[in-house]
Structure formats: structure tokens, C-alpha cells
Amino acid sequence: METELLKIMDHKRNKIGIAAREEVHRLGYWHDAFHCWIVTKENGIDYILVQLRSHTKKDYPNLFDITAAGHILATETIEDGVREVTEELGIHLSFEELTPMGVVEYSVINDNFIDNEMAHLFLYKTNKSFDKFTLQKEEVAGLYKAEFNHFTEMFFGNREEMIVEGFEINELGEKYFINKMVKTKDFVPHPLSYYQCVIKKITEMLIREVKID
């Protein structure tokens, strides 16, 4: 596998050069990432889509995560991050179809792993059904939807668990549909403040949409 090279920043967010992904996480350099959250509406109910990470992933296998996300490579701009949606979910979008939601800085520190990330947040609203998505099985094992209100309640501590509905893919790449009961522990351990910030930003966008309508 080709080594990913990322632009790196110091603790004051000054750009200082380029480093391999492994070094970035070992030494805790700040770096840019692309995070795209997808929401949909069915029968008047807002849903948020989350991916299930592949069991073969080195970091956080078999956990639920951002709909589509990834690092911004040294040769890329933030706009190029839209490729993550195509690669992971198999749907083709232009950057102009995304709604920017700002940048969130956060840190996750584990054994031999320091993730200091400048997460560039984007929202994509769609009415695409699950059959329009083709997952990159090396990266993504499944795609699920959760009622946005339930997602909000769970990450703000007002609900212990929620139901997610979606599909996973088997070794042959075939889809099978499944429902699960999940808790916050079933999600990638981004800081709770990150999830809450994302929820607030999406809520603002949905309220703005209602006012426009």
C-alpha cells in the first residue's frame, strides 16, 4: 500500500511541511481531514447516515463512523476531499453539492497514536435509497440510517441506545439488510464534543431549510 503523505501543522496550526501518515499520528502533528455527513428525509422524518467500518481496518474496526471521511493528501485541496464520498460509498458528487459547516479541531490520544485533526465538515442532503450506494468493502462494511432526533438524544445523554437500519455486505460484495440496537460505545471514539458540535450544525441547517420551505 502506498504511503499517504499529509500536510502538517504545528501546535499553533502553522503549516510546517509534509509527513507520512504514520509519522503524523505518531508525533501528533495537526493535519486536515474531510468529513461528510449525509442526511435524508423519509415521511417527514430526518435520518442521518453512518458507515460501519470494515473489520479489516487498522483503526477502529467494526465501529460506526462519519458517513464518509478521510485525510486530505499533501497534493490535494479541501475540495478534493469529495473523492472520499465516491470511493467509500460509490455515489458521485461535486463539491458544489455539499454544504460547508465549518472546521472543528479535536484531539484523540491513544497508545502510540495521537490524532490532532482539523476536520472540515460538510453536509449532503439526499433522497437516494440504499440501492444507490456501492460500498468500498476494504474500507466500509455497511451503511445505516438512524433517526436524527434519536442520534441527537443519544449523544447528548438523553437516550441510552437507538435502532439503526441499513445493510452490510458479505464476502461476495452482496448486500443484506439488517437492523441493530446501538449505543455510543459502538461508534468511533471521536470526542463527545465533536459529535455534539456536528449535531448542532446539522440541526441549524435543517431548521434553516424549514424556514426556506
Side-chain angles (χ1 to χ4, degrees):
M1 179 179 177
E2 187 176 347
T3 299
E4 288 186 354
L5 296 178
L6 311 179
K7 298 174 187 175
I8 57 174
M9 295 167 273
D10 62 18
H11 66 287
K12 293 183 178 180
R13 317 304 183 264
N14 298 311
K15 293 192 183 336
I16 57 175
I18 294 173
R21 174 176 176 170
E22 292 73 15
E23 182 181 6
V24 170
H25 288 153
R26 181 173 61 85
L27 298 178
Y29 289 120
W30 284 90
H31 56 285
D32 290 316
F34 171 90
H35 292 191
C36 181
W37 289 90
I38 297 181
V39 296
T40 185
K41 186 186 289 285
E42 298 177 28
N43 300 318
I45 299 174
D46 292 310
Y47 290 88
I48 188 166
L49 303 188
V50 293
Q51 69 162 258
L52 179 65
R53 294 168 66 87
S54 169
H55 71 279
T56 62
K57 293 283 288 183
K58 178 182 178 182
D59 302 322
Y60 310 122
N62 293 317
L63 291 181
F64 290 97
D65 202 1
I66 302 155
T67 326
H71 292 102
I72 300 297
L73 302 180
T75 56
E76 294 181 317
T77 64
I78 300 302
E79 288 81 359
D80 292 322
V82 71
R83 65 172 171 75
E84 294 287 351
V85 181
T86 300
E87 291 174 2
E88 295 186 354
L89 306 180
I91 58 174
H92 295 270
L93 304 180
S94 67
F95 183 75
E96 289 69 29
E97 292 178 86
L98 306 180
T99 302
M101 299 193 296
V103 180
V104 175
E105 301 179 10
Y106 71 86
S107 298
V108 175
I109 302 176
N110 293 320
D111 295 337
N112 302 315
F113 181 90
I114 306 172
D115 191 14
N116 287 328
E117 198 158 281
M118 303 279 290
H120 297 255
L121 303 179
F122 296 91
L123 177 67
Y124 176 61
K125 291 175 287 187
T126 183
N127 58 4
K128 288 182 171 63
S129 60
F130 279 138
D131 63 348
K132 301 297 183 183
F133 293 88
T134 302
L135 306 185
Q136 182 183 23
K137 66 178 182 179
E138 296 81 10
E139 300 281 334
V140 185
L143 186 66
Y144 286 81
K145 66 179 182 181
E147 287 194 32
F148 183 65
N149 284 343
H150 294 173
F151 186 82
T152 298
E153 291 169 358
M154 193 173 75
F155 279 100
F156 275 89
N158 299 315
R159 171 186 288 267
E160 289 189 4
E161 55 188 14
M162 67 178 180
I163 294 176
V164 294
E165 307 171 49
F167 70 90
E168 295 182 23
I169 50 178
N170 60 25
E171 292 300 320
L172 299 177
E174 300 167 331
K175 296 179 180 178
Y176 61 97
F177 289 83
I178 186 171
N179 297 345
K180 293 185 177 183
M181 189 70 76
V182 300
K183 300 181 178 183
T184 54
K185 67 178 180 62
D186 298 309
F187 283 75
V188 170
H190 303 296
L192 182 60
S193 60
Y194 167 81
Y195 284 108
Q196 292 178 346
C197 180
V198 167
I199 288 168
K200 289 176 181 178
K201 288 178 179 293
I202 293 177
T203 300
E204 290 172 3
M205 296 295 175
L206 295 178
I207 291 174
R208 187 180 306 170
E209 181 184 56
V210 170
K211 289 181 178 180
I212 292 174
D213 291 344

